[in-house]
Amino acid sequence: MSGNVRRVVSVIVYNESSTLSRITDLFSARGYNIVSLTVAPIPESKYSRLTIVTSGSSRVIEQIIKQLHKLIPVLKVYEHEDLVEKEMTLIKFPITENISDIDTLCQAYNGKIVNAGPDMVIAMVADEPKRIDHFLEAIKRFHPKEIVRSGAVALER
Amino acid sequence: MQISGAQMVIEAMIAEEVTVVFGYPGGAIMNVYDEIYKQDSFKHILTRHEQAAVHAAEGYAQRTGKVGVAMITSGPGFTNGVTGLADAYMDSIPIIVISGQVPMSLIGTDAFQEIDAVGISRSCTKHNYLVTDAADLPRVLKEAFHIARTGRPGPVHIDIPKDVTAQLAEFDYSAPVVLETYKPTTKGNTRQIKKAVEAIAAAKRPLFYLGGGIISAEAAYDVREFAKSCGIPAVETFRARGTMGADNPLLISMLGMHGSYAANMAMSETDLVIALGARFDDRVTGKLSEFAKGADIIHVDIDPASISKLVNADYPIVGDIKKVLEVMMPLAKEKVDPEKYTPWLETIENFEKLHPLSYREDTDNIKPQWVIERVGELLGDDANITTDVGQHQMWTAQFYPFSRPRQWNSSGGLGTMGYGFPAALGVKAADPERVSINITGDGSILMNIQELMTAVEQKLPVINIILNNNYLGMVRQWQTLFYDKRHSETDLSVQPDFVMLSQSFGGAGYRVKTKEEFDAALKDAIEKNVVTIIDVAVERMENVMPMVPSGGSLFNMMLEYKEK
Ligand SMILES: Cc1ncc(C[n+]2csc(CCOP(=O)(O)OP(=O)(O)O)c2C)c(N)n1
Ligand SMILES: [Mg+2]
């Protein structure tokens, strides 16, 4: 049996208040792992799209997809092989840090400073989740006060 | 014309040709009960506990193949019913449970008898609904029946707030169900089917592994024909008993933890498993890595998630068994030469001769297995059989000569003690002509004993046969085998007088110590035609054998274990 792999699964679901809990309940009831989960309505439709980053053996991934399919309000499940994946993150820095260095770093990761206040600045970057990991490592020396990650969204190429 | 939500529930029952509903009223569902009072299209059977109402609906569904219906109130009414939902979920039984809920304005306020019912039922139903507008009810009710009975069947729960049952809206039940997101695959992939047939033709030792899905698909007689035309032997799971018929020469027996030696050995020796509507449950497979080792696997199932979940299928076929067999059978008849399997059938016959399913009458006490065989001899096809959970259940699955599908009805997946009696009521309501027997234990029967009252009131003369070993026998057996005989909290020496107990409700009761007494009691009970308890004193220390210890390999069976 193969080891754990990271997988991005997109789920198209009927828009209902209970749908999200059906999906998260499924993951917890069957002991599947959720690394991240994003959800938003698909414009001009009765459906929403969830992007779930999960991990498991290939058998577990196969089961996750089949079990998701079994849920009544689930229209489609895609397991992405060849995809464009992005994640956004917001970071708050004290104003006392070197702002221009921060800005340069952000630009290298598809981002910029998006807001400034009397004692802080907020930066935004959007990039592949792995690169976001690197970015967050790199900015440690600027003493970030708060970090929020959006979770991944993905589209098949 | 506008009608109330409660009236819609009644109208939907009529449209779905529901003839009997099991239930228990309470505050939140009173509007519906008021409409039940006013109608005479279906019968309502008042059980004496909500769990029993849901199990009775299961029994009804199991016997008929139709959707069983139960109605219960909010809060404790609903939570009492949850075991039934879970039971139906595990055994893929099509039922609908309608529960009352507090009015919409009170939802989320911790109101009296408020509980998040759909939150609780989500993980033990095929689907559920909280209906917030009566205008949605016709669609929801129709969808619920559709979802419960199609694909892999299962329970659907509908939670309706009290104000929604009072609310007026338009009722039109004629609109077809449109569920873009739910379209079960029923037709198997022809290419896969062809490949599977080639595998069957090439195999030397093929074996049918028949599961409960065959019963749900009403495909038992097709399977019999298929097996016969190809001359391929079969093992049945616990839930598939009755598929082949006990006197079918191709039926080996049940396989699994308490399967027969021959069935488990055949599964260990086969080179091609033809799994039909079976799900490779751990009680069947034992140690997975040793299960049917070396065999290829054809797996036909309506539920894609069951395929390659535990054991990789070499020939996965998603579809309705009946429809798949329609394509598969003619192809197989062409390609498969039944003569070819004669040596394989001889091997199996030798397994059967070596260790037949048997028991020894080596004490003065009645052996529990004898009782089951005896009921089989006396009633056979004329009885429908339910059981509770424990040793008596396994012995029934092993020793009763089931002759037809839907004759047998027992809690398999969840293993719910207390299932048997209410389920037998549902069976009797569905099939009044046949004797409805519940084979039960001295532990299990007390878990829904209040249903004696329902049986008396509704004239549902179920015969409960207690194989009384004064023990929670199955747990006692495990304690004997795996806990060095420390019989912790399983001794049931303190017991009610079951004869008087039954009589006090208006039923009949017999205490039986000899074979002659048993025959006389059963005969008398059938003649009296009232609900009955036959309390049979059986050998206390008998163990269910063969046994594959949990997690062991199927071919490593304990064949005998004599206690004391
Ligand atoms: C509701 C419930 N509680 C506990 C169990 C665990 N359990 C399985 S078999 C059994 C013993 C049943 O005793 P009895 O009904 O007397 O049957 P016997 O095994 O003696 O034939 C128990 C406690 C269960 N299956 N269901
Ligand atoms: Mg007992």
Side-chain angles (χ1 to χ4, degrees):
Chain A
M1 186 151 297
S2 63
N4 275 13
V5 289
R6 178 182 182 278
R7 271 279 178 281
V8 182
V9 181
S10 291
V11 194
I12 314 295
V13 299
Y14 194 73
N15 265 337
E16 267 174 338
S17 56
S18 59
T19 304
L20 187 58
S21 47
R22 286 184 206 282
I23 287 174
T24 52
D25 275 12
L26 175 87
F27 274 75
S28 67
R30 293 189 181 262
Y32 305 146
N33 189 19
I34 298 183
V35 179
S36 78
L37 186 156
T38 65
V39 53
I42 298 173
E44 282 158 47
S45 83
K46 5 180 238 259
Y47 295 100
S48 285
R49 183 184 182 109
L50 283 86
T51 309
I52 303 172
V53 180
T54 181
S55 70
S57 67
S58 53
R59 170 161 289 164
V60 166
I61 301 284
E62 186 183 331
Q63 264 299 305
I64 290 175
I65 289 162
K66 286 176 169 178
Q67 293 293 345
L68 281 168
H69 249 302
K70 246 174 104 166
L71 295 174
I72 307 290
V74 168
L75 182 69
K76 278 191 186 131
V77 186
Y78 304 102
E79 182 202 351
H80 297 293
E81 295 279 344
D82 184 16
L83 49 83
V84 175
E85 199 185 338
K86 292 285 174 207
E87 181 171 0
M88 202 254 275
T89 181
L90 295 171
I91 319 96
K92 191 187 283 178
F93 297 100
I95 196 90
T96 49
E97 294 296 327
N98 186 333
I99 307 296
S100 64
D101 280 7
I102 291 174
D103 192 43
T104 312
L105 196 57
C106 286
Q107 282 175 27
Y109 286 89
N110 250 330
K112 58 184 175 190
I113 290 179
V114 289
N115 194 289
D119 52 3
M120 59 89 211
V121 295
I122 293 177
M124 180 277 294
V125 302
D127 213 325
E128 272 119 58
K130 237 205 200 100
R131 290 196 24 99
I132 298 281
D133 291 343
H134 296 159
F135 171 77
L136 293 177
E137 198 53 45
I139 51 132
K140 271 195 181 147
R141 63 195 164 96
F142 300 112
H143 307 102
K145 295 210 290 192
E146 259 180 85
I147 298 170
V148 45
R149 295 179 70 153
S150 68
V153 290
L155 262 188
E156 191 108 31
R157 269 155 49 94
Chain B
M1 194 189 67
Q2 295 211 324
I3 60 173
S4 73
Q7 285 169 316
M8 291 183 189
V9 171
I10 308 298
E11 289 302 321
M13 295 302 130
I14 296 169
E16 297 289 348
E17 294 171 12
V18 172
T19 54
V20 55
V21 166
F22 304 88
Y24 208 103
I29 195 151
M30 283 182 72
N31 292 334
V32 176
Y33 270 83
D34 195 43
E35 295 303 327
I36 289 177
Y37 184 87
K38 295 177 197 162
Q39 61 83 42
D40 57 4
S41 305
F42 60 85
K43 188 177 166 74
H44 179 275
I45 291 181
L46 175 72
T47 57
R48 295 307 194 265
H49 191 291
E50 289 86 354
Q51 182 189 355
V54 183
H55 289 330
E58 291 183 79
Y60 181 89
Q62 281 281 83
R63 179 65 202 93
T64 57
K66 295 197 267 180
V67 178
V69 181
M71 295 188 189
I72 54 187
T73 192
S74 69
F78 170 74
T79 54
N80 273 350
V82 171
T83 303
L85 282 172
D87 191 88
Y89 184 62
M90 291 294 281
D91 282 345
S92 308
I93 300 175
I95 58 166
I96 287 181
V97 172
I98 296 176
S99 58
Q101 181 56 278
V102 300
M104 295 270 290
S105 56
L106 290 180
I107 287 183
T109 65
D110 303 316
F112 177 64
Q113 295 193 330
E114 180 189 1
I115 196 81
D116 175 14
V118 284
I120 291 172
S121 71
R122 195 171 295 133
S123 56
C124 58
T125 50
K126 184 172 174 186
H127 196 49
N128 64 9
Y129 298 89
L130 170 63
V131 184
T132 54
D133 185 341
D136 293 336
L137 256 179
R139 174 184 60 81
V140 166
L141 286 158
K142 195 159 181 172
E143 276 180 18
F145 276 91
H146 176 71
I147 290 169
R149 70 175 150 236
T150 54
R152 178 175 177 173
V156 179
H157 167 219
I158 308 174
D159 199 34
I160 319 179
K162 189 168 186 177
D163 51 342
V164 175
T165 53
Q167 188 193 343
L168 295 176
E170 212 59 50
F171 183 81
D172 179 5
Y173 207 72
S174 63
V177 173
V178 188
L179 278 167
E180 259 180 278
T181 59
Y182 173 73
K183 287 172 185 151
T185 312
T186 57
K187 202 177 149 290
N189 178 306
T190 318
R191 237 185 42 228
Q192 281 291 7
I193 295 177
K194 279 191 185 141
K195 278 205 241 164
V197 170
E198 272 157 32
I200 298 173
K204 292 195 178 70
R205 299 180 305 280
L207 181 69
F208 279 110
Y209 160 32
L210 308 177
I214 296 167
I215 314 277
S216 310
E218 306 290 356
Y221 293 99
D222 309 74
V223 170
R224 286 185 194 189
E225 193 192 329
F226 189 15
K228 192 174 171 194
S229 65
C230 298
I232 296 173
V235 293
E236 289 174 350
T237 64
F238 171 83
R239 285 192 37 75
R241 299 305 266 154
T243 301
M244 293 288 279
D247 55 6
N248 193 321
L250 288 169
L251 173 65
I252 305 172
S253 188
M254 178 170 80
L255 85 164
M257 179 176 275
H258 293 300
S260 79
Y261 175 78
N264 287 343
M265 288 309 289
M267 188 50 94
S268 306
E269 296 282 311
T270 177
D271 64 349
L272 180 71
V273 177
I274 310 165
L276 304 178
R279 60 184 179 93
F280 298 81
D281 178 79
D282 56 282
R283 285 291 191 266
V284 162
T285 60
K287 191 174 179 182
L288 273 174
S289 56
E290 299 287 333
F291 178 76
K293 208 174 177 175
D296 273 353
I297 294 185
I298 299 172
H299 192 177
V300 184
D301 206 290
I302 189 92
D303 177 9
S306 279
I307 296 181
S308 299
K309 178 173 68 176
L310 294 156
V311 172
N312 190 55
D314 303 280
Y315 305 91
I317 300 171
V318 178
D320 176 87
I321 295 169
K322 213 176 162 81
K323 291 199 175 152
V324 170
L325 289 191
E326 268 170 26
V327 182
M328 207 180 221
M329 223 180 322
L331 288 175
K333 276 181 188 165
E334 244 171 64
K335 294 245 161 90
V336 178
D337 169 21
E339 300 295 310
K340 197 177 128 189
Y341 308 127
T342 317
W344 171 226
L345 292 176
E346 278 164 9
T347 308
I348 290 169
E349 213 175 298
N350 283 333
F351 288 145
E352 272 170 345
K353 279 193 194 127
L354 198 58
H355 297 290
L357 205 52
S358 64
Y359 60 96
R360 275 181 229 265
E361 303 208 85
D362 50 4
T363 65
D364 293 338
N365 300 322
I366 296 183
K367 283 293 175 100
Q369 300 95 325
W370 177 86
V371 178
I372 291 152
E373 280 187 338
R374 189 66 183 149
V375 179
E377 280 164 21
L378 294 174
L379 298 177
D381 190 55
D382 293 334
N384 290 313
I385 306 290
T386 66
T387 73
D388 270 300
V389 174
Q391 293 183 308
H392 63 274
Q393 175 190 36
M394 290 302 135
W395 285 317
T396 310
Q398 290 178 332
F399 287 97
Y400 198 89
F402 297 104
S403 51
R404 57 188 155 85
R406 301 196 177 280
Q407 179 180 19
W408 158 244
N409 184 356
S410 181
S411 171
L414 197 67
T416 312
M417 288 172 71
Y419 176 81
F421 186 15
L425 294 173
V427 169
K428 188 70 186 175
D431 184 3
E433 298 302 314
R434 287 204 175 85
V435 184
S436 182
I437 303 262
N438 173 38
I439 297 186
T440 179
D442 46 316
S444 296
I445 189 66
L446 289 180
M447 286 212 178
N448 267 317
I449 192 69
Q450 76 288 341
E451 295 312 310
L452 282 167
M453 205 66 264
T454 312
V456 167
E457 182 183 52
Q458 299 289 339
K459 300 197 170 53
L460 293 169
V462 167
I463 300 176
N464 295 286
I465 301 175
I466 303 178
L467 302 184
N468 196 333
N469 51 15
N470 287 260
Y471 271 124
L472 295 173
M474 186 56 96
V475 182
R476 196 276 307 148
Q477 173 169 340
W478 283 51
Q479 289 168 336
T480 294
L481 296 175
F482 312 120
Y483 291 86
D484 206 14
K485 301 195 179 162
R486 289 185 300 278
H487 294 157
S488 173
E489 303 297 322
T490 46
D491 189 317
L492 298 183
S493 293
V494 179
Q495 300 218 332
D497 181 327
F498 284 109
V499 175
M500 282 168 60
L501 181 63
S502 183
Q503 287 169 349
S504 77
F505 282 86
Y510 307 84
R511 172 89 181 145
V512 165
K513 289 205 171 70
T514 66
K515 292 180 175 178
E516 294 69 33
E517 285 170 3
F518 179 76
D519 282 6
L522 185 59
K523 187 161 172 281
D524 201 48
I526 291 170
E527 274 164 19
K528 270 211 181 97
N529 209 26
V530 292
V531 67
T532 299
I533 291 180
I534 304 179
D535 180 17
V536 190
V538 297
E539 173 59 40
R540 276 196 96 188
M541 300 313 250
E542 191 73 7
N543 292 314
V544 183
M545 292 290 145
M547 178 168 189
V548 180
S550 208
S553 310
L554 271 194
F555 50 81
N556 271 335
M557 282 161 273
M558 210 181 285
L559 290 167
E560 219 175 347
Y561 185 93
K562 180 95 183 91
E563 207 150 341
K564 272 229 191 98

